[in-house]
């Protein structure tokens, strides 16, 4: 009897799910975000054995990029890339981009140059299969609570960029920002570029507001533009030039963000 009541309750709940999905925007939002995270976890499980053949290697980012590129289609997100000709063809550089949400991974995978690794918070390393896949992809992890350690990791990255021909992708806001603008930039990315004497390539991802809002629990199909801006050289610059470089890049990115998102 108990089994029958339990089964009936489960069947009723399963029947109601599509109705709930249809009627409740919040429920749809949580389903979509849950699936996003879950699907990335599944993709990480696929990526791990493929990447493990090489061990920890930036070339594995090609596998991760390839596996991630269909995800935007699952959500009906169209992405237009502009200015890709601005990527310097044959030298290391530091990419800096705005950071609105974990959906930025989709834009990143759309334009991620070869031999380019993101700098990520250390916590990602502990996300099970995702952490393992990120580690195998050569992603550089920093502990944001330990400034001194983070700076050492970045100094090491400057060396690796030059010795191993690697590009680095940094979110200079340092955290996700849903405000519809850009937070003040932290200076680590710009110190890195100056230390390695390599250009900074700013990338702006337009606002998601018209199709995605965490506050409003809204997630529909939509489109966004990924604009690669002209690189800024750092040759001849020193640590004293970092604040001005940071502000110059942020101003250019904010202008592009507002124009793209209007
Ligand atoms: C198919 C399978 C899929 C499986 C995997 C699925 C998905 C994964 C795929 C890809 C993964 C993508 C990765 C996701 C992206 C994750 C993004 C993030 O995690 S964002 C958060 C982490 N990133 C950052 O924080 C970068 C930006 N932060 C900085 O640059 C900071 O400056 C810092 C270096 C972290 C230090 O920050 P802190 O707040 O502690 O200090 P300050 O910024 O105030 O700096 C203090 C002081 O030091 C100077 N400084 C900073 N950096 C340097 C340096 N490198 N060298 C010298 N000096 C430095 C800085 O200028 C300050 O001094 P002053 O005030 O005098 O200017
Ligand atoms: C054994 C533990 C198992 C844990 C399993 C966890 C499963 C999680 C599965 C998928 C998560 C996909 C996450 C993709 C990476 C998102 C990158 C990102 O956007 O990171 C945020 C970071 O930039 C800033 O962090 P905060 O805004 O400061 O916060």
């Amino acid at each position: 009897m108990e089994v029958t009541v339990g089964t009936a309750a489960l069947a009723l709940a399963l029947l109601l799910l599509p109705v709930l999905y249809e009627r409740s925007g919040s429920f749809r939002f949580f389903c979509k975000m849950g699936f996003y995270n879950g699907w990335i976890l599944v993709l990480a499980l696929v990526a791990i054995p493929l990447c493990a053949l090489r061990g920890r290697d930036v070339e594995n980012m090609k596998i991760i990029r390839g596996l991630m590129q269909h995800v935007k289609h699952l959500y009906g997100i169209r992405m237009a890339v502009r200015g890709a000709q601005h990527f310097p063809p044959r030298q290391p550089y530091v990419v800096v981009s705005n950071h609105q949400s974990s959906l930025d991974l989709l834009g990143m995978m759309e334009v991620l140059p070869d031999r380019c690794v993101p700098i990520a918070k250390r916590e990602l390393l502990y996300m099970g299969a995702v952490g393992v896949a990120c580690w195998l992809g050569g992603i550089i992890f920093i502990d944001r609570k330990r400034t001194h350690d983070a700076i050492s990791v970045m100094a090491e990255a400057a060396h690796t960029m030059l010795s191993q021909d690697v590009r680095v992708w940094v979110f200079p806001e340092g955290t996700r920002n849903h405000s519809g603008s850009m937070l003040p930039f932290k200076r680590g990315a710009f110190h890195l570029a100056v230390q390695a004497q390599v250009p900074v390539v700013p990338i702006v991802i337009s606002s998601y507001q018209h199709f995605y809002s965490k506050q409003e629990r809204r997630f529909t199909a939509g489109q966004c533009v990924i604009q690669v801006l002209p690189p800024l050289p750092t040759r001849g610059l020193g640590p004293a030039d970092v604040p001005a470089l940071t502000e110059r890049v942020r101003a250019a990115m904010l202008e592009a963000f507002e124009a793209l998102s209007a």
Side-chain angles (χ1 to χ4, degrees):
M1 180 63 181
E2 259 175 38
V3 174
T4 321
V5 171
T7 313
L10 185 66
L12 186 65
L14 286 176
L15 278 174
L16 283 178
L17 283 183
V19 178
L20 198 57
Y21 187 84
E22 195 55 43
R23 299 247 170 119
S24 162
S26 296
F27 185 68
R28 255 197 322 273
F29 177 84
F30 286 121
C31 286
K32 286 185 170 184
M33 287 317 286
F35 181 80
Y36 181 72
N37 290 331
W39 190 237
I40 288 178
L41 198 56
V42 170
L43 292 173
L45 288 168
V46 175
I48 288 170
L50 299 175
C51 294
L53 295 172
R54 279 201 194 95
R56 179 165 158 87
D57 192 319
V58 296
E59 286 295 325
N60 283 333
M61 283 311 293
K62 285 185 189 155
I63 296 176
I64 292 174
R65 185 181 65 195
L67 283 169
M68 290 279 297
Q69 271 174 343
H70 69 284
V71 179
K72 62 180 183 290
H73 299 301
L74 302 179
Y75 288 90
I77 300 172
R78 277 174 291 135
M79 292 182 165
V81 178
R82 296 186 192 156
Q85 75 278 5
H86 291 310
F87 281 120
R90 270 180 296 277
Q91 69 174 114
Y93 45 86
V94 176
V95 171
V96 291
S97 84
N98 54 319
H99 197 12
Q100 303 177 66
S101 143
S102 59
L103 293 186
D104 294 339
L105 281 186
L106 305 181
M108 173 190 267
M109 294 306 162
E110 195 71 9
V111 291
L112 190 78
D114 286 346
R115 298 190 67 73
C116 182
V117 288
I119 288 194
K121 60 177 182 181
R122 195 175 164 75
E123 291 85 334
L124 271 190
L125 195 50
Y126 305 115
M127 285 189 178
V130 171
V132 176
C134 288
W135 184 83
L136 287 167
I139 287 175
I140 300 166
F141 296 99
I142 53 168
D143 186 344
R144 292 181 295 183
K145 292 187 203 82
R146 294 171 183 260
T147 304
H148 187 263
D149 290 357
I151 290 175
S152 307
V153 170
M154 292 186 76
E156 209 177 297
H159 178 73
T160 310
M161 287 177 79
L162 299 174
S163 62
Q164 295 176 29
D165 183 30
V166 169
R167 295 111 180 97
V168 173
W169 183 306
V170 185
F171 291 101
E173 291 169 278
T175 187
R176 287 166 287 184
N177 165 35
H178 308 275
S179 77
S181 182
M182 279 184 214
L183 298 174
F185 281 6
K186 292 186 173 279
R187 293 179 181 155
F190 306 93
H191 278 290
L192 173 61
V194 165
Q195 280 160 14
Q197 295 281 287
V198 298
V200 175
V201 180
I203 294 186
V204 178
I205 305 177
S206 65
S207 170
Y208 301 147
Q209 273 298 323
H210 59 284
F211 67 90
Y212 173 88
S213 163
K214 191 176 178 182
Q215 287 92 338
E216 295 166 26
R217 292 175 186 162
R218 179 167 47 76
F219 191 0
T220 63
Q223 54 187 334
C224 73
V225 177
I226 303 163
Q227 174 85 54
V228 185
L229 298 179
L232 286 94
T234 64
R235 194 159 290 280
L237 301 187
D241 300 307
V242 166
L245 175 67
T246 308
E247 290 320 311
R248 202 174 142 205
V249 172
R250 184 173 181 275
M253 288 176 65
L254 194 54
E255 189 185 336
F257 180 76
E258 283 166 357
L260 290 174
S261 309

